[in-house]
Amino acid sequence: MKSLFLSTVASLVFAAGASSMLAASSIDQHASDLLKGDCDRECMAFIVDQVLASMVVHNPYILPMAAIYQATENSHPAALGMMTAWRTVTEAGPPSLLAIDTTQGSAYFALDVSEGSDTERSILRGRVKVVNQEITELEVFINRYRGDHGFSFSAAELPSNYEALMSPPDNRTKASRAALTALSEALFATSSNMSVRVDANCQFTEIGWKVIDTGTYNNETTTPLSCSWPSDHPTDENARVGLVIDEKLGFVVTSGMIQGKVYPYQNVSAFIPDAMTSSQEAQNVWLNEVKARGVKGLLAPTEATGETLEVLQYYNDALQTMQINVYMSGPNMTSAWL
């Protein structure tokens, strides 16, 4: 994948200097071959590489866009030429996680990127949909720190955490497309009796980081939390299910709009969904305790909405990966994609 990405960057740098439109002369023969006929996994991977490389050269106009396309950046709609990513990203790719759905012509990607700083890297993630080798939908998010989502964050640990997910065991039992679809439909369902077995080594991350429970805020726990499939979970009756279903690697991507509150959390803050009532109640107890001690500088609990692109990986009849990827906006918001 890396050599393909590097050739894409080189091709697009040339294209950016030669023309504002993607032309056959702007890509090598191998790239041209990938964009002929049906878009298979290699073709979809190449298009994702094109998206990332176009950000590096700050030129979205060299992408193979459909005549009419839909696009959002951090939940708000805009033409690609007006998006921040194509102005700020200076280094990107290849993706650390890439899920590809050749049936729907869609893909999900996630990676750490530079916006001019080698020490403060951002996390870029997104979804692309392709019809006739042209991009018809592009949904991107840039999380720069945990304030963008109120969850744990680590651009530095993302590559190593995601590396194992891209190379599952060769002798695994793959889930059917129907099973992965059912998993997606149950994730944010208001009513579902689906039982999901969780593998003992299931990797649980929030925005690139393996989550460590700090408990009562003063312990020394360093063991990452495992995944869970709780009966009490955030729900969204309008969830966008099965956005990407990768039958080869077992990934499924689902989006939900989750209502919740941003609470003070030690000296920072955290987003807690309204469905997690016990967690909100525990945070209220803690808040009252620290207020009684005269602690100052605490954020007032504030209503918010978390827009998710949640990623699950399922094979060997068990959940292997759960990624909670959130971008926050104001209260009672809905998705531009509905």
Side-chain angles (χ1 to χ4, degrees):
M1 185 79 69
K2 187 173 182 179
S3 61
L4 178 58
F5 180 81
L6 293 176
S7 69
T8 303
V9 173
S11 299
L12 292 183
V13 169
F14 172 79
S19 171
S20 63
M21 299 295 291
L22 183 67
S25 60
S26 71
I27 53 178
D28 58 25
Q29 187 59 48
H30 177 58
S32 297
D33 291 342
L34 288 175
L35 297 180
K36 292 178 181 177
D38 294 333
C39 207
D40 58 12
R41 291 187 70 89
E42 191 174 10
C43 169
M44 289 297 300
F46 176 73
I47 288 179
V48 171
D49 284 350
Q50 284 185 296
V51 171
L52 299 174
S54 74
M55 291 180 182
V56 175
V57 299
H58 310 309
N59 190 349
Y61 303 108
I62 52 182
L63 290 173
M65 305 303 297
I68 301 294
Y69 68 92
Q70 292 178 277
T72 59
E73 181 186 47
N74 293 346
S75 304
H76 66 264
L80 299 191
M82 295 179 66
M83 290 186 177
T84 303
W86 276 269
R87 297 174 183 271
T88 62
V89 173
T90 58
E91 179 188 332
S96 294
L97 189 144
L98 180 60
I100 294 174
D101 184 340
T102 55
T103 299
Q104 297 187 103
S106 60
Y108 171 86
F109 55 92
L111 65 154
D112 65 305
V113 299
S114 174
E115 294 182 280
S117 171
D118 291 331
T119 56
E120 299 293 335
R121 296 180 73 84
S122 304
I123 291 178
L124 174 70
R125 52 195 176 83
R127 177 187 63 86
V128 62
K129 186 173 177 62
V130 174
V131 177
N132 295 327
Q133 292 82 50
E134 293 180 332
I135 297 172
T136 61
E137 297 180 5
L138 187 56
E139 179 177 10
V140 296
F141 293 90
I142 299 182
N143 292 69
R144 295 182 173 88
Y145 188 57
R146 63 176 297 181
D148 288 331
H149 46 84
F151 283 67
S152 302
F153 175 93
S154 178
E157 294 182 25
L158 182 148
S160 59
N161 286 339
Y162 291 3
E163 183 178 7
L165 311 183
M166 295 302 297
S167 301
D170 291 335
N171 62 348
R172 68 189 181 281
T173 301
K174 297 180 183 179
S176 67
R177 187 174 187 86
L180 294 174
T181 300
L183 191 69
S184 178
E185 291 173 343
L187 184 59
F188 296 119
T190 56
S191 178
S192 174
N193 58 2
M194 184 175 184
S195 177
V196 177
R197 186 170 70 87
V198 178
D199 190 87
N201 296 315
C202 183
Q203 184 190 102
F204 176 48
T205 57
E206 295 173 348
I207 321 294
W209 196 65
K210 291 181 181 177
V211 182
I212 297 173
D213 184 12
T214 58
T216 56
Y217 310 100
N218 60 4
N219 61 35
E220 300 298 325
T221 300
T222 59
T223 302
L225 292 177
S226 183
C227 311
S228 64
W229 189 263
S231 56
D232 182 19
H233 60 86
T235 63
D236 179 8
E237 61 183 12
N238 296 313
R240 294 183 289 143
V241 303
L243 291 174
V244 179
I245 299 176
D246 187 333
E247 298 166 74
K248 179 179 179 180
L249 297 178
F251 289 120
V252 57
V253 180
T254 308
S255 177
M257 302 294 293
I258 307 304
Q259 305 304 317
K261 279 186 179 180
V262 177
Y263 277 90
Y265 192 85
Q266 301 184 71
N267 62 342
V268 289
S269 57
F271 175 69
I272 304 179
D274 288 340
M276 299 173 63
T277 54
S278 60
S279 296
Q280 286 194 358
E281 290 169 359
Q283 207 64 14
N284 284 325
V285 170
W286 174 82
L287 179 58
N288 289 331
E289 289 176 352
V290 296
K291 284 169 59 179
R293 296 201 302 267
V295 174
K296 295 184 178 181
L298 298 169
L299 178 74
T302 308
E303 298 285 348
T305 303
E307 183 165 2
T308 73
L309 278 177
E310 192 152 330
V311 179
L312 305 177
Q313 188 177 36
Y314 188 89
Y315 58 80
N316 289 345
D317 299 318
L319 187 65
Q320 306 290 337
T321 299
M322 174 175 280
Q323 295 180 3
I324 299 179
N325 301 308
V326 179
Y327 197 89
M328 278 196 302
S329 56
N332 303 314
M333 301 295 286
T334 187
S335 172
W337 293 96
L338 296 178

